[in-house]
Amino acid sequence: NAGVMQNPRHLVRRRGQEARLRCSPMKGHSHVYWYRQLPEEGLKFMVYLQKENIIDESGMPKERFSAEFPKEGPSILRIQQVVRGDSAAYFCASSPLSDSGANVLTFGAGSRLTVL
Amino acid sequence: GENVEQHPSTLSVQEGDSAVIKCTYSDSASNYFPWYKQELGKRPQLIIDIRSNVGEKKDQRIAVTLNKTAKHFSLHITETQPEDSAVYFCAATPGGFNKFYFGSGTKLNVKP
């Protein structure tokens, strides 16, 4: 089991460009979470998705940020027109969630975005 | 929604001493409380968790206690070692189709 796979591990963008971060959940996991972490800070929830459905996007900025988890392929976090304040580590996590609540969260290695 | 508070933000102990990190939560519906360890530049990794139907759980030098009435849970690390130095995050979730709410983290430094 390869675990939660994120790519790219490091991404450098200039202001105004687009950043796309990808996450493949663990095998058998159908739920994906995205968290943002600024240096020396905690994990800030962004969005929670299952296949073809956004369950909770209350932590996502209203503009420039979007996320999807298609039926086939990885989950993608997209940041348009990046600004310096978007520089952070973006962690994806997945869970084998059942609606009975027996969920355990496993994190990927993170994607570190640097905006110049 | 849930609000998880974590204390202290930094903790420095001598090797061999014990370390205790405390978290409180606000939503009585929360029923699952994991603890994650994050080493510098690495991913958060689950080290121990507890569900609301038990009051304490141990795994070698690590233990977690839960007081549902007071809505707080704690991480206890005994006989600390330098490799325990990391940032520790607590979390709470009501389970089901709900997100995990994380504390702000505790930076533990174990001095040799």
Side-chain angles (χ1 to χ4, degrees):
Chain A
N1 194 331
V4 179
M5 303 300 293
Q6 288 189 250
N7 68 83
R9 293 292 311 280
H10 300 275
L11 182 64
V12 179
R13 285 288 178 263
R14 297 192 179 280
R15 280 179 296 170
Q17 292 184 318
E18 178 179 290
R20 281 188 181 229
L21 310 177
R22 288 175 289 278
C23 170
S24 296
M26 280 184 72
K27 189 175 181 181
H29 288 195
S30 58
H31 294 253
V32 164
Y33 303 73
W34 285 94
Y35 285 85
R36 177 163 64 178
Q37 187 176 40
L38 295 170
E40 304 287 319
E41 293 193 11
L43 296 157
K44 184 175 179 298
F45 169 79
M46 298 183 75
V47 63
Y48 170 25
L49 313 101
Q50 66 177 107
K51 289 276 186 186
E52 300 183 282
N53 187 27
I54 296 175
I55 298 175
D56 185 337
E57 58 181 345
S58 57
M60 195 100 94
K62 292 287 184 279
E63 296 178 355
R64 304 189 299 108
F65 285 73
S66 62
E68 61 176 5
F69 189 15
K71 189 176 180 181
E72 302 290 339
S75 174
I76 295 174
L77 179 67
R78 182 183 178 204
I79 311 171
Q80 295 178 287
Q81 300 174 337
V82 295
V83 301
R84 289 216 174 101
D86 296 333
S87 296
Y90 292 84
F91 285 96
C92 170
S94 70
S95 77
L97 183 65
S98 73
D99 57 9
S100 64
N103 45 350
V104 176
L105 212 55
T106 302
F107 281 88
S111 291
R112 279 158 182 79
L113 172 65
T114 302
V115 180
L116 301 177
Chain B
E2 175 65 277
N3 180 41
V4 177
E5 294 193 354
Q6 183 171 347
H7 300 280
S9 56
T10 59
L11 179 59
S12 191
V13 300
Q14 207 65 42
E15 182 177 359
D17 287 351
S18 294
V20 180
I21 302 170
K22 298 180 180 180
C23 287
T24 60
Y25 63 99
S26 59
D27 189 349
S28 56
S30 287
N31 59 14
Y32 174 62
F33 307 91
W35 285 88
Y36 286 83
K37 175 184 180 183
Q38 187 178 29
E39 296 175 2
L40 190 63
K42 303 274 182 73
R43 75 188 76 192
Q45 291 200 294
L46 180 70
I47 55 170
I48 196 166
D49 57 11
I50 192 167
R51 299 191 186 272
S52 58
N53 56 347
V54 297
E56 184 175 357
K57 184 176 177 181
K58 264 188 177 181
D59 183 3
Q60 299 183 331
R61 296 186 297 107
I62 294 173
V64 58
T65 58
L66 171 65
N67 183 327
K68 283 208 71 181
T69 304
K71 296 201 192 76
H72 67 70
F73 56 113
S74 301
L75 178 71
H76 304 253
I77 306 174
T78 57
E79 300 171 27
T80 53
Q81 300 166 4
E83 51 265 38
D84 294 330
S85 296
V87 178
Y88 292 81
F89 292 98
C90 64
T93 180
F97 295 101
N98 276 291
K99 62 194 180 208
F100 286 66
Y101 296 82
F102 280 84
S104 53
T106 297
K107 188 172 184 179
L108 174 64
N109 179 34
V110 180
K111 295 177 284 186

